[in-house]
């Protein structure tokens, strides 16, 4: 628990990298259940990883994959992979639908974007 808290705190700082996210992922159960966010009683953070929630927020800002990749210091290919996971979790066909579903389910807050 202490290490998870430390990793969470470090991930909120600017300049974190993919390795840190990999370490965080080892401590999280998120994204491994295969359940969708509209399943009863499933909280979004149990379906979407922290990084996927970050990408979803940037999708809501209408950034391109390249722009998101630059902000998160990863490759555009990594963003494409994350967005596919987000689409599956939200049962969405594209980024607009994913954002709309996330807003409707309270995963993203209205007015923030």
């Amino acid at each position: 628990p202490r290490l998870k808290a430390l990793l969470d705190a470090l991930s909120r700082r600017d300049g974190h990298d993919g390795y840190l996210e990999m370490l965080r992922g080892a401590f999280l159960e998120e994204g491994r259940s295969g359940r969708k966010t509209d399943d009863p009683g499933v909280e979004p953070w149990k379906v979407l990883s922290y990084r996927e929630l970050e990408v979803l927020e940037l999708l809501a800002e209408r950034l391109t994959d390249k722009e998101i990749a630059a902000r998160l210091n990863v490759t555009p290919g990594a963003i494409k992979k994350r967005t596919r996971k987000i689409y599956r979790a939200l049962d969405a066909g594209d980024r607009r639908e994913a954002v709309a579903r996330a807003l409707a389910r309270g995963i993203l807050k209205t007015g923030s974007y």
Side-chain angles (χ1 to χ4, degrees):
R2 287 188 209 164
L3 183 54
K4 182 187 175 303
L6 174 63
L7 292 172
D8 287 343
L10 287 172
S11 71
R12 288 189 289 272
R13 295 177 61 187
D14 289 336
H16 62 278
D17 60 19
Y19 181 71
L20 177 61
E21 288 302 314
M22 183 185 74
L23 289 174
R24 279 189 78 245
F27 287 91
L28 302 175
E29 296 293 327
E30 301 167 350
R32 291 178 175 61
S33 69
R35 298 188 297 182
K36 295 185 181 339
T37 57
D38 55 354
D39 287 348
V42 176
E43 300 296 339
W45 48 88
K46 292 188 178 178
V47 176
L48 298 174
S49 69
Y50 176 81
R51 186 60 120 182
E52 289 161 356
L53 289 170
E54 280 184 311
V55 170
L56 184 59
E57 288 173 354
L58 295 172
L59 289 175
E61 292 179 23
R62 296 181 169 217
L63 298 179
T64 66
D65 288 347
K66 282 185 179 182
E67 292 168 329
I68 295 170
R71 276 224 196 150
L72 300 179
N73 296 316
V74 297
T75 66
I79 298 305
K80 286 181 190 285
K81 182 178 175 182
R82 297 273 184 186
T83 55
R84 282 192 300 266
K85 286 182 173 182
I86 292 167
Y87 298 166
R88 273 194 308 272
L90 296 174
D91 198 25
D94 59 31
R95 57 183 61 212
R96 292 176 105 192
E97 187 177 4
V99 169
R101 288 178 181 260
L103 287 167
R105 294 185 181 128
I107 297 169
L108 293 175
K109 303 296 177 212
T110 308
S112 305
Y113 307 100

